[in-house]
Amino acid sequence: MTRKAYMIGTGIGNLAAGIYLIRDGGFNGDQITMMGLETHGANDGALVKDYEDEYSNKALSNSKGYLAKGGRMLNEETYENLWDLLRSVPSLDHPGQTVTDDILNFDHAHPTHDVGRLIDENGPRIKPNKDNYKHMQFTNKERYLLSKLMLMPEKDEQTLNNISIAEWFASTPGFFTTNFWYMWQTTFAFKRSSSAMELRRYMNRMILEFSRINTLEGVTRTPYNQYESIILPMRKYLEDRGVTFINNRKVTDLEFKDTPLQDDIIVTGIKYEEVDNDNKEGHIDIDENDLVFDTNGSITDSSSIGDYDTPVKENMEYAPSAMLWKKAAEKFYSLGNPDKFFNDRAQSEWMSFTVTTNNHYLLNQIARITQQEPGNALNTWIHSTSLMSIVVHHQPHFKSQKPNGSVFWGYFMYPRRNGDYVQKPIIEMTGKEMLEEFLGHLAAVDPSKDNVANHKQEIMDSIVNVIPVHMPYASALFNQRAVGDRPDVVPEHSKNLAFISQFAEQPFDMVFTEQYSFRAAQRAVYTFLNIPLSEMTPMHHYEKDPKVMARATRTMFR
């Protein structure tokens, strides 16, 4: 019997798993079936979807505006699996090149150098004084605590079980007003309540970036949004090789074989609904030799979308992808604890907004005030009550953008807090009100005599749309956790079930990255196909490089 593989969720992790199965595992495309919905792990939560038709693969027309729920920053030095696998995927835009070529060539031609990284009431923190954004502003005790956290061996991680970053730095509350913390939390979407365990992993894996966190020179950008630059080429690769994509199928449950003491984990069936066919129920028989790859959590699950005149209506649904994981975890003791990540929105929620304009006036004003051109990472207004940041990409960010159109997005880390210029909680604001909140902050730091506030009507007339999105689980992967709360990529005793997401456990690597999903995919495929794990893509360990550590030490005292 021909072995088959079933992917639950069509996000970047399962796409990567499909390519690994074909490239390294000798599978034919017709052995692989991809099943997914946006509500079930699609795109791993950070890529582009259509606002009018959330489940299509099309970008919005310019008459409606574009939607980017969030963004992911790539890194050339530490995304080893991503670059390796995408070297096998042909470019859709440049025949003869690969997706890796596309991205790195673009990035090398447009290197990131953030100037207005932090903005306070006086504008960008670039004046040569103690507040300049290049200074980390640590005290000696804060340096000690951060070093102690980073140098903790991974085998001792259990000492950080359920410990928040706030608890780790409880004796030094000033840590949370340092330039370092303002930059680190908004670059990676940490909160004070986030897991100290995850901060430890980030400090090790991203230590190369620690010394350039102020300019974000290590950020690697794609030519267009990541859906068009990465996801579509990966799908095309798989489709060209005969992989079956079923985009209207929601998997509702897994069936398991009864085994002595329920030790062995063997999937024998998949239950599903066809969402565009009156939710017609169906069933797939799974042979013990077949493979099942589950996206056991998506950070865009249960999102709520508003528009220019309408605030979001909060979706209180438990994350659908995590619900499937939750059902499995109730049957087997070794599958973790999804409630740690999906049952405390206060730890994980934030809101984004995407602005589409029909001219470049607003974009030009942002560039003038922040003193940096589009494409240079992100800007954070550190004194905004809700902690607001914006990201202005190189234009066009979407292939279908008109030459005179602009698109950028921003986010609020604390959407339950009131705005500073619109007196209501961020989560209750319309897209227009979010724009007014942003324009208030922009005008407050505009040094020009012809302040941007004097051109409000001109700006408002240029707006095509402002789309707010509430994501209750946007930072769920950083929630406080204990060792064992995330299942292994291939759990102990699992014969044919793997978890490929930001909520599966693997050593050393860090979540909230495409790299983590790619590596989980490789780990799952190699484990099931008995390819030695020693042959997995080698990873860098910059935390063991004396030169890198010397630069990090100097940065701590900068």
Side-chain angles (χ1 to χ4, degrees):
M1 181 179 293
T2 301
R3 196 175 200 182
K4 297 179 180 179
Y6 296 90
M7 275 63 176
I8 303 172
T10 55
I12 203 167
N14 275 343
L15 296 178
I19 297 174
Y20 278 120
L21 283 170
I22 293 170
R23 192 193 75 171
D24 300 347
F27 269 54
N28 295 321
D30 60 8
Q31 295 173 253
I32 302 170
T33 300
M34 299 265 180
M35 304 174 287
L37 297 172
E38 158 66 353
T39 57
H40 199 83
N43 296 339
D44 280 354
L47 307 177
V48 178
K49 298 302 285 182
D50 189 311
Y51 171 56
E52 190 172 38
D53 176 7
E54 193 174 346
Y55 301 120
S56 80
N57 294 327
K58 301 176 294 182
L60 281 168
S61 67
N62 279 28
S63 63
K64 296 289 181 69
Y66 292 90
L67 170 61
K69 289 183 177 179
R72 297 276 185 88
M73 294 178 293
L74 307 182
N75 182 266
E76 185 171 351
E77 290 87 354
T78 58
Y79 282 37
E80 300 91 345
N81 283 80
L82 180 140
W83 304 124
D84 173 65
L85 196 67
L86 293 183
R87 284 190 181 94
S88 301
V89 179
S91 163
L92 297 184
D93 299 319
H94 301 99
Q97 292 189 10
T98 68
V99 174
T100 293
D101 295 329
D102 266 1
I103 298 172
L104 295 184
N105 289 343
F106 174 82
D107 183 70
H108 295 167
H110 305 87
T112 299
H113 187 87
D114 208 324
V115 177
R117 179 64 189 87
L118 298 181
I119 297 173
D120 60 23
E121 69 272 16
N122 299 311
R125 285 194 162 186
I126 57 177
K127 294 180 181 179
N129 58 33
K130 63 181 177 61
D131 288 332
N132 185 291
Y133 75 131
K134 75 176 183 180
H135 298 304
M136 298 297 102
Q137 299 181 319
F138 292 131
T139 64
N140 283 338
K141 187 169 184 180
E142 289 161 356
R143 293 184 185 105
Y144 165 74
L145 288 172
L146 193 59
S147 299
K148 179 182 178 182
L149 183 67
M150 179 187 168
L151 295 173
M152 181 182 295
E154 192 160 312
K155 64 181 178 63
D156 296 334
E157 261 194 343
Q158 68 272 11
T159 63
L160 298 174
N161 281 353
N162 303 312
I163 299 295
S164 69
I165 297 172
E167 290 174 282
W168 184 261
F169 290 99
S171 63
T172 57
F175 174 82
F176 297 105
T177 59
T178 61
N179 281 339
F180 165 80
W181 176 248
Y182 283 130
M183 291 187 286
W184 196 267
Q185 70 167 326
T186 53
T187 298
F188 302 115
F190 280 97
K191 295 186 177 186
R192 297 185 188 193
S193 59
S194 297
S195 169
M197 195 180 293
E198 294 304 328
L199 179 59
R200 189 200 72 82
R201 288 203 176 194
Y202 260 74
M203 288 301 300
N204 277 279
R205 189 75 164 103
M206 295 297 282
I207 192 61
L208 189 65
E209 303 312 312
F210 176 67
S211 59
R212 55 193 187 190
I213 187 67
N214 54 311
T215 61
L216 293 176
E217 292 175 46
V219 171
T220 303
R221 296 291 191 189
T222 53
Y224 298 99
N225 60 82
Q226 291 183 14
Y227 183 77
E228 292 179 301
S229 291
I230 298 179
I231 292 288
L232 288 184
M234 294 177 75
R235 287 181 68 105
K236 180 72 162 51
Y237 175 100
L238 293 166
E239 289 166 351
D240 286 349
R241 286 156 179 78
V243 171
T244 299
F245 281 86
I246 304 175
N247 298 316
N248 65 335
R249 181 169 289 176
K250 178 181 178 181
V251 174
T252 57
D253 206 357
L254 300 175
E255 296 175 333
F256 296 93
K257 182 178 180 179
D258 287 329
T259 58
L261 303 178
Q262 288 292 297
D263 277 344
D264 288 340
I265 300 172
I266 303 171
V267 178
T268 59
I270 294 175
K271 295 181 178 180
Y272 64 85
E273 295 175 353
E274 304 287 1
V275 298
D276 60 356
N277 189 19
D278 296 324
N279 290 338
K280 182 179 179 181
E281 295 182 351
H283 181 276
I284 302 171
D285 290 327
I286 303 297
D287 186 80
E288 291 187 25
N289 197 44
D290 293 338
L291 305 176
V292 177
F293 299 84
D294 179 34
T295 307
N296 65 311
S298 168
I299 62 176
T300 54
D301 269 3
S302 308
S303 294
S304 308
I305 302 176
D307 61 30
Y308 190 74
D309 297 310
T310 311
V312 303
K313 182 178 180 181
E314 185 176 358
N315 181 353
M316 300 305 298
E317 180 183 29
Y318 194 92
S321 55
M323 182 57 75
L324 189 63
W325 170 24
K326 186 178 176 74
K327 290 178 180 178
E330 289 171 351
K331 299 173 183 176
F332 299 97
Y333 65 88
S334 60
L335 299 189
N337 184 2
D339 282 351
K340 279 289 190 71
F341 308 97
F342 295 98
N343 209 29
D344 185 357
R345 295 185 174 205
Q347 283 193 65
S348 60
E349 68 177 352
W350 40 272
M351 286 195 77
S352 70
F353 62 99
T354 312
V355 180
T356 305
T357 67
N358 61 21
N359 63 43
H360 299 308
Y361 179 80
L362 178 54
L363 211 65
N364 290 337
Q365 301 312 304
I366 294 172
R368 174 179 60 81
I369 295 168
T370 62
Q371 301 184 42
Q372 60 186 44
E373 294 299 312
N376 282 290
L378 73 160
N379 313 109
T380 297
W381 274 257
I382 63 174
H383 290 162
S384 58
T385 302
S386 54
L387 197 56
M388 181 191 72
S389 300
I390 63 167
V391 178
V392 182
H393 292 286
H394 288 279
Q395 304 293 306
H397 190 49
F398 297 82
K399 290 183 179 181
S400 61
Q401 260 181 258
K402 293 179 180 178
N404 61 329
S406 297
V407 177
F408 69 93
W409 71 277
Y411 75 104
F412 300 94
M413 285 281 284
Y414 299 98
R416 306 285 171 178
R417 297 179 182 175
N418 269 16
D420 297 295
Y421 296 91
V422 178
Q423 294 303 310
K424 62 170 62 174
I426 299 296
I427 195 171
E428 297 178 11
M429 291 185 188
T430 64
K432 179 182 179 182
E433 289 170 332
M434 286 190 180
L435 177 65
E436 290 174 338
E437 176 72 11
F438 165 65
L439 292 178
H441 284 289
L442 189 66
V445 296
D446 185 354
S448 171
K449 293 181 180 179
D450 188 22
N451 191 286
V452 70
N454 299 327
H455 296 269
K456 182 176 178 180
Q457 192 57 52
E458 180 179 351
I459 292 171
M460 301 306 283
D461 289 344
S462 76
I463 300 300
V464 174
N465 207 345
V466 181
I467 304 173
V469 181
H470 175 252
M471 292 175 285
Y473 309 121
S475 293
L477 29 66
F478 291 150
N479 280 18
Q480 296 164 37
R481 66 176 180 87
V483 172
D485 284 337
R486 298 193 302 217
D488 289 339
V489 172
V490 178
E492 187 178 9
H493 305 302
S494 175
K495 305 303 181 182
N496 66 350
L497 174 65
F499 295 114
I500 299 177
S501 79
Q502 306 292 300
F503 299 94
E505 177 62 26
Q506 51 186 336
F508 182 62
D509 220 344
M510 58 185 181
V511 293
F512 216 161
T513 64
E514 289 94 333
Q515 160 63 21
Y516 199 85
S517 296
F518 274 63
R519 191 160 188 84
Q522 186 181 37
R523 183 178 300 278
V525 169
Y526 279 35
T527 299
F528 282 141
L529 301 188
N530 295 316
I531 302 173
L533 296 184
S534 60
E535 296 182 13
M536 289 179 63
T537 304
M539 294 172 67
H540 294 92
H541 281 268
Y542 291 107
E543 83 285 4
K544 298 179 181 179
D545 185 321
K547 292 183 179 179
V548 172
M549 294 306 295
R551 286 198 299 269
T553 301
R554 288 195 298 270
T555 299
M556 273 202 172
F557 287 87
R558 195 164 66 196

